[in-house]
Amino acid sequence: MQGVTVRSAPVPAVVVATLPGAENAGKPGYYTVQKGDTLTRVALDHGQSWRDLVRWNSLSNAHLIEVGQVLRVVPPGSSVETKGVVVQPISGSAEVVPSKPAASSPLPAAGTSSSTAVANDDGLGFIWPASGNLLAGFDDVKNKGLDIAGKAGDPVLAAADGHVVYAGAGLRGYGNLIILKHNNTFLSAYAHNQALLVKEDQKVNKGQKIAEMGKTDADRVKLHFEIRRQGKPVDPAKYLPSR
């Protein structure tokens, strides 16, 4: 009986799809998309415009990002890419915070007077966006801003000069939302409106009426107002004048 040679069939090569930006995972200035993220949420948590994220990452569809995809969240050439950062979760997403905040612009401490707080807002001079009573103050875990009472249709004002980086209802829990970018440090957000009176990319002035108060995605008529410093929610009361 002659010997039989058994030849194994060639094993097909396994093609592993690499998600965009995977080579930058873990690097300062980049963020790995998590389950439940939207581009608007990622932009807000990093103090950026979603349109800038589209441009910096050459995204063909702003409504389609994948879990595990790595996004640039700072401008190309930004100094943050060469400095250490700390990544901390915010409401299931993440934020980039410099590990050593600049000594020249510390966050106001609790109990700081309004005049001192305003001196640390890059000269923006924030004003109250609505005149109603305060329903709920800032809580680092439960409430990322201030809740201000009012009646449906009451004016919502821009708290400082800036331009509109988001106007829509695509961020869960915020209803009809406006986000203003004031400079490279500060954003402000205005949620639950019944009507939005400005459009994306529009410039606005401090005190300008930008929306009408409502209760979209809320249990009552109110304005939820946030100030974010480098994407991190901070207590707006520390940046607003005393009433």
Side-chain angles (χ1 to χ4, degrees), residues 121-143:
D121 68 359
D122 288 1
L124 292 169
F126 286 107
I127 63 171
W128 285 83
S131 58
N133 294 327
L134 191 63
L135 295 172
F138 178 83
D139 183 287
D140 196 44
V141 176
K142 298 179 181 179
N143 195 37

Side-chain angles (χ1 to χ4, degrees), residues 15-227:
V15 178
V16 179
T18 302
L19 290 173
E23 69 278 7
N24 295 314
K27 293 181 181 178
Y30 291 86
Y31 171 70
T32 301
V33 175
Q34 308 295 315
K35 184 178 180 180
D37 278 344
T38 64
L39 197 65
T40 302
R41 165 63 72 180
V42 174
L44 177 61
D45 286 347
H46 292 87
Q48 307 293 356
S49 161
W50 70 268
R51 292 180 184 274
D52 285 338
L53 296 193
V54 168
R55 188 172 70 255
W56 298 339
N57 294 280
S58 301
L59 301 179
S60 58
N61 186 347
H63 302 289
L64 181 61
I65 55 175
E66 301 179 71
V67 174
Q69 182 175 353
V70 180
L71 299 172
R72 173 186 285 277
V73 291
V74 298
S78 171
S79 60
V80 74
E81 295 183 50
T82 60
K83 296 179 181 179
V85 295
V86 178
V87 179
Q88 300 173 337
I90 289 185
S91 303
S93 187
E95 63 184 10
V96 175
V97 183
S99 56
K100 293 183 179 180
S104 60
S105 56
L107 284 175
T112 301
S113 68
S114 60
S115 60
T116 302
V118 170
N120 291 316
D121 68 359
D122 288 1
L124 292 169
F126 286 107
I127 63 171
W128 285 83
S131 58
N133 294 327
L134 191 63
L135 295 172
F138 178 83
D139 183 287
D140 196 44
V141 176
K142 298 179 181 179
N143 195 37
K144 304 298 184 181
L146 303 179
D147 290 343
I148 304 171
K151 302 186 299 294
D154 279 356
V156 174
L157 310 179
D161 294 345
H163 72 277
V164 182
V165 294
Y166 182 78
L171 202 56
R172 179 179 294 180
Y174 286 83
N176 291 328
L177 171 69
I178 290 173
I179 301 173
L180 302 182
K181 185 166 186 173
H182 303 290
N183 55 28
N184 289 331
T185 303
F186 287 100
L187 294 177
S188 59
Y190 311 75
H192 307 310
N193 305 288
Q194 73 171 12
L196 307 181
L197 306 179
V198 292
K199 299 179 180 180
E200 290 182 10
D201 291 332
Q202 180 178 335
K203 291 184 179 180
V204 298
N205 298 319
K206 181 192 303 185
Q208 179 178 337
K209 183 178 177 180
I210 58 174
E212 294 179 352
M213 196 179 294
K215 62 175 184 178
T216 55
D217 216 355
D219 57 355
R220 59 164 293 168
V221 174
K222 63 182 176 181
L223 172 67
H224 176 74
F225 173 65
E226 296 184 6
I227 292 179

